[in-house]
Amino acid sequence: MLFPKSNAHRDIVDCSGVWGFRPDPEGMGFEAGWQAGFDPTHECAVPGSWNEQLQEYELMNYVGGAWYQREVHIPCHFSGKQVLLRIGSADFQSKLWVNGRLIAENDLLCLPYDGALDGHIAPGEKARIVIWVSNEQQYQSITPAVAIDDYIREQRIRDEQFPATRPDFFPYGGIQRPVLLCAIPQSHIADVSLRTGIDGDAGLLTVTAQVECCAGAQLRIAVSNGLAQTVPVVGGFAVAEFRIEGCRFWSLKDPHLYDVSLALELDGGTVDSYQLHAGVREIEVRGRRLYLNGEAVFLRGFGKHEDFPVHGRGLNLPLMVKDFGLMQWMGANSFRTSHYPYAEEILDYADRKGVLVISELASVNLDFRLADEETLLNHRRTLERQIARDKNHPSVVMWSVANEPGYLGEQEYRGKASHSYWKNLCDYTRELDPSRPVTVANVGRISTDDPSFHYVDVVSINRYYGWYDMPAQLDRAALRLQRELDDIAAEHDKPILVLEFGADTLAGAHSTTDQLFTEEYQAKFLEAYCDVIEKHPNAVGTHVWNFADFRTAQNHRRVILNLKGVFTRTREPKLAAFRLRDRWSVPFSYSDDV
Ligand code: BDP
């Protein structure tokens, strides 16, 4: 469904607040009929992860199912409308009941889902919402599960993390984004797709709306520069093309957004309306460069996480505002939604602030010993849903369809099946969205002959020489990085992004010599990488790992947090933040024009 908004024809009841909560480690709730209501043992705030919120009730490391419930008044004026409940995200899997009826379910991480309540509620009365959420991972998911026994079987007992999870970030559980009760007209605008382009000074904007309505409807589409068209709805679709003369293109310096207003007209009256914004811009890969509106752009920024004390991965608007302020202060122009789709509120904010976003799918460490047809199907399903959700954001300039596949099961990853997997996925991404390039973040272990390099538009690498390898030896590390960039470029003359490089750093640790974990070493490490990358003819960006320290599952390599942030978890700057700020205050310019 379209991102919920309230206006003259649509309304929203925000169900954020403190919900009744009950963990269900044995899965007894289904048989006991908790779908219709249950006796809560705890309370948990929504949006938010349950882990740190309920740490004192032994739920910090809880992996399993849990039930949420609350009652909500259905306003009288919702009568006659289509009423939907939309969950921004409830991770990793979830099911939704209203008054005991199953309304919808979802198994895709960090993506919204919704269900229609029609017939199950009475406007003017209360309805009981029950949501079951589980943070248990699946083996065929695109971030595959791992169990304690797997570490033993695979003879990697020292890799064991608690709670068991493959990725290097905490497996938070809960309803982590808003739950919204929405009323929309029965005849309504169901979806809107925007496509933009550039023709000289003019901006081209194509608006395609999907409409659910009886015959004879028309759609009036107005753009904030005064252009407007009324187009008929044919076969459930209405299309309008605009040419905006003297267009203000959406750019880093001037992220201008045009308001696009749609009004569905039937029998002489307006029955529904929807407003969204359009940033007119073009992103393109040509030769070794990435172009924004025809100008070569160099990305400077970060891999991030949605992570903060107590909130966990829960949407945290003050933190969002703060983080964008810090990125602006640093001179960063971009970030990657590592390692899952971030909240839509964050993408909206990036649109307004003129920050470029690499939108990543929730695929971490895909293991080709496990990957099969079902995995590919899950990957394609995720892609469809993520592109459908994020397609209209001008800030989203690239799809990263996976992070570090082949980290495990390296031999299988290098095989034929992997080639056809990445070809299939990259082709499908371009089929669904021909307007944005596609990439995969490659892991150091796979190095230069990664099967995915053949099919992506932009080659992306994550590297840790000088940290995991060659610790405290930055000269060796820089040479190794340089050689690898040259080798990749010799094979694949495409733009290259270095999407991760970083060193764990304990704020307050100092040394006069190169010493791991000190602020000086992190600063020197990041500068050494930037020196090499910025000079490389194929490089189109540096994304430091990570923006801020973040919580991980427990293992001997992490002192509660991954400490590679240039800011602490509570956003105090480390020395590297100042060094990068100095570096990034000088605009980047390419020495050649390819
Ligand atoms: C990379 C992963 C990232 C980790 C990082 C690290 O993509 O999720 O947090 O390494 O080790 O392999 O800090």
Side-chain angles (χ1 to χ4, degrees):
M1 77 182 281
L2 281 170
F3 186 77
K5 292 191 176 170
S6 51
N7 60 27
H9 301 91
R10 297 170 168 242
D11 203 1
I12 295 172
V13 173
D14 186 347
C15 305
S16 300
V18 179
W19 290 49
F21 181 85
R22 184 160 178 171
D24 185 13
E26 317 293 338
M28 62 190 262
F30 290 96
E31 290 221 342
W34 293 3
Q35 301 89 332
F38 58 91
D39 291 331
T41 49
H42 304 77
E43 293 186 312
C44 190
V46 171
S49 307
W50 66 57
N51 311 78
E52 286 183 48
Q53 273 193 72
L54 298 175
Q55 184 164 13
E56 284 59 48
Y57 303 92
E58 301 195 358
L59 290 167
M60 180 66 219
N61 297 306
Y62 177 64
V63 172
W67 297 76
Y68 285 76
Q69 109 181 348
R70 72 164 280 177
E71 293 197 327
V72 58
H73 271 107
I74 311 290
C76 291
H77 67 273
F78 277 25
S79 179
K81 303 247 173 178
Q82 193 175 109
V83 182
L84 299 132
L85 200 64
R86 192 211 203 231
I87 295 160
S89 86
D91 304 304
F92 301 169
Q93 308 155 56
S94 115
K95 290 176 192 274
L96 159 70
W97 296 264
V98 174
N99 291 336
R101 299 281 186 92
L102 180 68
I103 300 294
E105 50 193 301
N106 178 50
D107 64 349
L108 299 182
L109 191 67
C110 294
L111 286 169
Y113 74 103
D114 60 81
L117 270 52
D118 310 20
H120 306 316
I121 46 148
E125 290 178 14
K126 279 186 185 171
R128 171 168 285 173
I129 307 173
V130 172
I131 301 176
W132 171 85
V133 186
S134 167
N135 62 341
E136 218 156 339
Q137 298 163 26
Q138 309 295 310
Y139 279 90
Q140 293 333 114
S141 136
I142 59 173
T143 295
V146 66
I148 287 175
D149 288 348
D150 296 328
Y151 294 113
I152 300 168
R153 201 169 30 80
E154 293 174 7
Q155 297 184 324
R156 335 182 265 127
I157 44 175
R158 290 201 176 167
D159 288 348
E160 180 174 343
Q161 301 207 80
F162 179 73
T165 184
R166 281 175 195 269
D168 183 36
F169 55 89
F170 198 84
Y172 291 116
I175 303 176
Q176 307 189 117
R177 294 182 190 149
V179 176
L180 303 174
L181 183 70
C182 316
I184 60 175
Q186 296 292 353
S187 293
H188 61 264
I189 302 159
D191 192 25
V192 183
S193 299
L194 305 175
R195 277 285 152 86
T196 67
I198 295 180
D199 182 18
D201 279 352
L204 309 175
L205 171 66
T206 306
V207 183
T208 306
Q210 198 185 335
V211 170
E212 278 181 27
C213 188
C214 52
Q218 54 185 23
L219 201 66
R220 182 172 166 75
I221 305 172
V223 185
S224 51
N225 69 338
L227 292 175
Q229 288 183 38
T230 300
V231 287
V233 177
V234 182
F237 286 91
V239 185
E241 289 179 0
F242 295 93
R243 186 180 171 87
I244 305 171
E245 299 296 346
C247 183
R248 266 175 82 182
F249 299 117
W250 187 93
S251 67
L252 294 167
K253 285 205 188 97
D254 179 22
H256 182 73
L257 296 171
Y258 287 93
D259 295 327
V260 179
S261 306
L262 297 94
L264 183 62
E265 296 172 351
L266 188 67
D267 302 330
T270 301
V271 294
D272 187 23
S273 57
Y274 193 78
Q275 293 77 30
L276 71 168
H277 57 238
V280 181
R281 59 115 185 89
E282 222 170 47
I283 187 89
E284 192 194 358
V285 167
R286 221 180 323 123
R288 301 180 200 146
R289 294 280 181 267
L290 182 65
Y291 293 90
L292 177 65
N293 305 337
E295 266 180 49
V297 62
F298 190 87
L299 305 188
R300 284 170 157 169
F302 300 95
K304 289 184 94 257
H305 265 296
E306 290 182 321
D307 177 271
F308 202 66
V310 188
H311 292 251
R313 190 168 301 138
L315 175 67
N316 183 335
L317 294 177
L319 181 70
M320 174 187 83
V321 173
K322 171 89 181 165
D323 280 4
F324 275 81
L326 288 174
M327 284 192 280
Q328 190 190 34
W329 177 80
M330 297 277 305
N333 61 14
S334 53
F335 66 91
R336 174 173 57 133
T337 69
S338 39
H339 294 311
Y340 36 82
Y342 288 3
E344 292 145 286
E345 289 80 351
I346 296 177
L347 300 182
D348 256 323
Y349 205 61
D351 292 344
R352 298 214 296 278
K353 293 285 163 189
V355 174
L356 307 180
V357 178
I358 299 176
S359 177
E360 187 156 276
L361 272 62
S363 175
V364 182
N365 301 157
L366 202 59
D367 182 342
F368 274 72
R369 293 169 303 180
L370 303 172
D372 59 13
E373 280 294 304
E374 192 187 335
T375 319
L376 179 60
L377 220 70
N378 283 335
H379 221 139
R380 286 169 63 100
R381 247 179 354 113
T382 309
L383 199 56
E384 288 160 12
R385 290 260 302 274
Q386 192 155 335
I387 291 180
R389 192 196 75 155
D390 296 350
K391 63 189 170 190
N392 292 332
H393 290 284
S395 59
V396 174
V397 292
M398 200 179 299
W399 303 112
S400 166
V401 295
N403 181 68
E404 302 198 345
Y407 177 79
L408 292 168
E410 189 180 327
Q411 210 185 324
E412 289 77 359
Y413 182 70
R414 293 181 193 277
K416 237 169 124 190
S418 170
H419 274 270
S420 58
Y421 193 98
W422 298 112
K423 179 169 184 345
N424 185 308
L425 206 64
C426 293
D427 285 351
Y428 194 46
T429 311
R430 286 184 281 259
E431 184 187 323
L432 293 172
D433 180 6
S435 74
R436 292 176 176 93
V438 52
T439 196
V440 171
N442 144 287
V443 63
R445 182 172 294 182
I446 302 298
S447 191
T448 50
D449 58 345
D450 188 317
S452 75
F453 286 173
H454 295 267
Y455 311 105
V456 293
D457 301 306
V458 175
V459 166
S460 292
I461 62 169
N462 300 347
R463 291 298 180 268
Y464 290 92
Y465 307 124
W467 183 255
Y468 294 122
D469 313 321
M470 309 169 203
Q473 302 153 74
L474 283 177
D475 292 344
R476 270 182 77 202
L479 274 176
R480 179 76 179 84
L481 176 69
Q482 173 77 55
R483 202 164 3 105
E484 208 172 6
L485 288 170
D486 290 345
D487 289 349
I488 295 173
E491 278 273 322
H492 308 275
D493 199 14
K494 299 180 179 184
I496 303 176
L497 277 172
V498 184
L499 282 187
E500 284 187 29
F501 56 104
D504 284 78
T505 304
L506 193 60
H510 298 286
S511 174
T512 53
T513 51
D514 290 348
Q515 170 65 55
L516 301 189
F517 294 103
T518 62
E519 294 196 33
E520 289 77 12
Y521 187 71
Q522 181 188 39
K524 198 167 162 187
F525 176 108
L526 298 178
E527 290 199 290
Y529 269 69
C530 290
D531 282 343
V532 171
I533 301 162
E534 288 180 0
K535 285 194 205 101
H536 197 277
N538 287 67
V540 294
T542 48
H543 273 185
V544 170
W545 190 256
N546 189 285
F547 176 74
D549 297 344
F550 58 92
R551 192 181 264 278
T552 66
Q554 300 190 51
N555 67 77
H556 60 86
R557 293 195 309 174
R558 302 280 178 252
V559 188
I560 305 173
L561 308 175
N562 180 316
L563 293 171
K564 295 194 184 71
V566 303
F567 295 95
T568 64
R569 196 178 185 211
T570 45
R571 278 34 180 186
E572 294 85 21
K574 301 179 189 171
L575 177 64
F578 295 95
R579 291 279 177 78
L580 285 173
R581 182 173 188 252
D582 286 347
R583 174 180 278 269
W584 291 350
S585 67
V586 182
F588 184 87
S589 63
Y590 285 102
S591 53
D592 57 344
D593 198 16
V594 207

